[in-house]
Amino acid sequence: MSRSEDLYKRALQVLPGGVNSPVRAMRSIGRDPVFIERGEGPHVWDADGNRYVDWVCSWGPLILGHAHPKVVAAVEAAAAGGTSFGAATEGEVELAAEICDRFRSVEMVRMTSSGTEASMSAIRLARAATGRDPILKFAGAYHGHVDGLLAEAGSGLATAGVPASPGVTAAQAADTAIVPWNDPEALRAATAEREFAAIIAEPIPANMGVVPPAEGFPALLRESADVNGALLICDEVISGFRVARGGAQGLLGIGPDLTVMGKVIGGGLPAAAYGGRRELMERVAPAGDVYQAGTLSGNPLAVAAGLATLAELDAPAYERLAQTTAKLALGLQEAAGERPVRVVCGGPVDPWPPASVFPGLLTVFFSAEPPRDFAGASACDAEAYGRFCRALLERGVYPPASQFEAWFPSLAHDDEAVERTLAAAAEAFEEALG
Ligand SMILES: *Cc1c(COP(=O)(O)O)cnc(C)c1O
């Protein structure tokens, strides 16, 4: 038995499914989990000593790659001075100022430890500010495992959701309306039917794979919120510090009322935040009456890692990340040849290659057409994607183990990492689709 097999056997005894978050189990690509031992730059090594080019990068946070020397040094220095105080520190003031400097719509932030907490708190604030309960989200969008957001479209009243997981109450799900992404008519109909506290959207959805907004849809989000009297919440947990210095909202010209941030903001340590206009954020306790708290919020190690990471993310860095992403995306599409595969790496998705590439994001869809919404993403050949991933892993390339996730190129991915991936992908496409 290999070390990985032994670890998985032990893990299954003490962790549900052997993991601490479902996608890691790799069930959707039909194999056992990879146990990672260490990472450096664009690479990870598993418990059996195999090296992989890592395109997951912890699902987004590691925009500088693994164990970046400046991040490691910042965390070491912070740890030596005490790991947590549950009190105010200088670092969190600096990080908040850095965020406000980058995001035009954000004047104040409150830090949390996870994106889930941040979106839950932003929704609470939106409900308090509007005096309304219902919220609107898009099918296939993910904003963390908040009860009320684990809802899917029901068959009854057009806009009232039903629980998407056992344990979510019918009442929580009913307060959530689910609308197809990129569907202006559905959005207009839903907002005409109910008064929402908030419309929450990933401006560049990346949790059904990357499904960019269609022309005009970002502007419609703002317009619909205004007409309805709802707040617009942009969930930039993935896109925030990845696609541009000022996030997807800067890139696409959206002015949200509240923004949810995470992943890159903690540089690989647990940190997230929500922020927005001063008068809204000053409703949050203790400035205001909306309660929200966290023992480890603004944790000194996470703040140090976040500051060290953001310090590297200037305009040339985003340019370089876009180039790496374009090279990988174009190479993957070329390696797929005539097979029904569509790499999505920017917007608008048609024609191929796209006129612009989102730095640091792409999805290899096993579909002849780029999906426009969750139904389109769900229609992809997930079995073939699974075969593709298994073949890549056998060849030392670590892709996201789900058709509904993004690849996350980092600034550590060099030409060699891309070349090695493309060589493996040519064989993997052959194995997956013949
Ligand atoms: C990952 C993610 C979250 C949840 O963040 P966690 O830190 O995993 O709780 C929320 N929104 C989006 C868009 C995400 O990708």
Side-chain angles (χ1 to χ4, degrees), residues 302-328:
V303 165
L307 279 169
T309 298
L310 295 189
E312 302 299 307
L313 297 176
D314 53 10
Y318 286 109
E319 184 56 37
R320 201 150 56 79
L321 188 58
Q323 280 166 14
T324 303
T325 306
K327 196 165 175 190
L328 177 67

Side-chain angles (χ1 to χ4, degrees), residues 59 113-117 119 142-145 202 206-207 235-239 260 262-263 271-272:
W59 304 101
S113 298
S114 73
T116 297
E117 260 183 282
S119 60
Y142 181 66
H143 308 292
H145 61 98
E202 296 176 72
N207 284 292
D235 180 348
E236 296 234 36
V237 170
I238 282 181
S239 57
V260 182
K263 297 197 168 111

Side-chain angles (χ1 to χ4, degrees), residues 144-242:
H145 61 98
V146 180
D147 280 314
L149 295 177
L150 294 179
E152 57 196 21
S155 55
L157 185 62
T159 60
V162 299
S165 165
V168 173
T169 69
Q172 284 163 329
D175 270 338
T176 306
I178 297 95
V179 168
W181 180 244
N182 278 335
D183 186 336
E185 286 319 308
L187 178 56
R188 287 200 186 94
T191 48
E193 190 173 312
R194 265 170 116 178
E195 292 188 333
F196 292 104
I199 295 175
I200 183 167
E202 296 176 72
I204 301 173
N207 284 292
M208 48 178 146
V210 177
V211 180
E215 192 77 40
F217 203 67
L220 187 63
L221 293 176
R222 180 70 266 175
E223 186 192 314
S224 304
D226 288 343
V227 170
N228 187 269
L231 299 189
L232 178 61
I233 304 177
C234 270
D235 180 348
E236 296 234 36
V237 170
I238 282 181
S239 57
F241 303 92
R242 176 161 287 276

Side-chain angles (χ1 to χ4, degrees), residues 1-15 18 32-33 35:
M1 193 188 289
S2 72
R3 247 192 103 223
S4 292
E5 285 165 344
D6 179 51
L7 280 171
Y8 187 39
K9 207 172 129 222
R10 283 166 52 201
L12 283 170
Q13 300 303 312
V14 288
L15 298 164
D32 293 344
F35 280 80

Side-chain angles (χ1 to χ4, degrees), residues 22-426:
V23 72
R24 300 176 195 174
M26 298 194 166
R27 289 187 182 182
S28 73
I29 61 160
R31 55 157 291 158
D32 293 344
V34 174
F35 280 80
I36 306 286
E37 203 145 85
R38 70 184 188 91
E40 187 184 328
H43 296 118
V44 288
W45 283 260
D46 72 15
D48 298 312
N50 300 303
R51 190 184 78 157
Y52 305 86
V53 179
D54 178 17
W55 295 106
V56 176
C57 286
S58 189
W59 304 101
L62 303 179
I63 199 164
L64 305 182
H66 292 275
H68 187 280
K70 288 188 180 164
V71 176
V72 171
V75 173
E76 279 175 355
T83 54
S84 183
F85 309 111
T89 62
E90 182 176 355
E92 58 192 2
V93 183
E94 277 178 41
L95 184 54
E98 177 67 29
I99 295 165
C100 295
D101 183 55
R102 286 173 180 248
F103 284 72
R104 212 171 351 137
S105 72
V106 176
E107 292 176 337
M108 293 186 120
V109 298
R110 163 60 59 84
M111 292 197 68
T112 64
S113 298
S114 73
T116 297
E117 260 183 282
S119 60
M120 176 185 82
S121 307
I123 287 167
R124 181 181 302 145
L125 175 56
R127 285 176 166 151
T130 58
R132 299 169 173 185
D133 290 345
I135 54 169
L136 184 153
K137 79 177 277 284
F138 293 93
Y142 181 66
H143 308 292
H145 61 98
V146 180
D147 280 314
L149 295 177
L150 294 179
E152 57 196 21
S155 55
L157 185 62
T159 60
V162 299
S165 165
V168 173
T169 69
Q172 284 163 329
D175 270 338
T176 306
I178 297 95
V179 168
W181 180 244
N182 278 335
D183 186 336
E185 286 319 308
L187 178 56
R188 287 200 186 94
T191 48
E193 190 173 312
R194 265 170 116 178
E195 292 188 333
F196 292 104
I199 295 175
I200 183 167
E202 296 176 72
I204 301 173
N207 284 292
M208 48 178 146
V210 177
V211 180
E215 192 77 40
F217 203 67
L220 187 63
L221 293 176
R222 180 70 266 175
E223 186 192 314
S224 304
D226 288 343
V227 170
N228 187 269
L231 299 189
L232 178 61
I233 304 177
C234 270
D235 180 348
E236 296 234 36
V237 170
I238 282 181
S239 57
F241 303 92
R242 176 161 287 276
V243 299
R245 195 176 179 280
Q249 56 189 259
L251 202 66
L252 303 171
I254 311 173
D257 299 290
L258 292 170
T259 299
V260 182
M261 294 161 266
K263 297 197 168 111
V264 169
I265 209 184
L269 273 80
Y274 61 107
R277 280 195 310 281
R278 183 176 313 281
E279 86 263 18
L280 261 179
M281 290 305 294
E282 283 192 333
R283 283 292 302 266
V284 178
D289 54 353
V290 180
Y291 191 72
Q292 191 268 308
T295 302
L296 294 178
S297 296
N299 172 262
L301 271 58
V303 165
L307 279 169
T309 298
L310 295 189
E312 302 299 307
L313 297 176
D314 53 10
Y318 286 109
E319 184 56 37
R320 201 150 56 79
L321 188 58
Q323 280 166 14
T324 303
T325 306
K327 196 165 175 190
L328 177 67
L330 293 167
L332 285 168
Q333 187 69 62
E334 195 179 318
E338 298 300 305
R339 301 180 186 91
V341 168
R342 193 57 189 271
V343 180
V344 173
C345 62
V349 294
D350 269 319
W352 175 266
S356 60
V357 168
F358 299 136
L361 273 183
L362 66 86
T363 295
V364 180
F365 285 109
F366 276 65
S367 156
E369 296 295 321
R372 282 179 53 87
D373 55 19
F374 186 53
S378 302
C380 292
D381 187 346
E383 293 289 324
Y385 183 82
R387 292 195 293 276
F388 176 65
C389 287
R390 296 199 300 273
L392 284 177
L393 285 162
E394 278 165 24
R395 289 164 178 80
V397 175
Y398 189 97
S402 162
Q403 175 69 98
F404 302 110
E405 302 278 1
W407 298 46
F408 294 109
S410 79
L411 288 161
H413 287 92
D414 53 11
D415 284 350
E416 196 212 315
V418 174
E419 301 301 339
R420 192 170 161 214
T421 300
L422 296 180

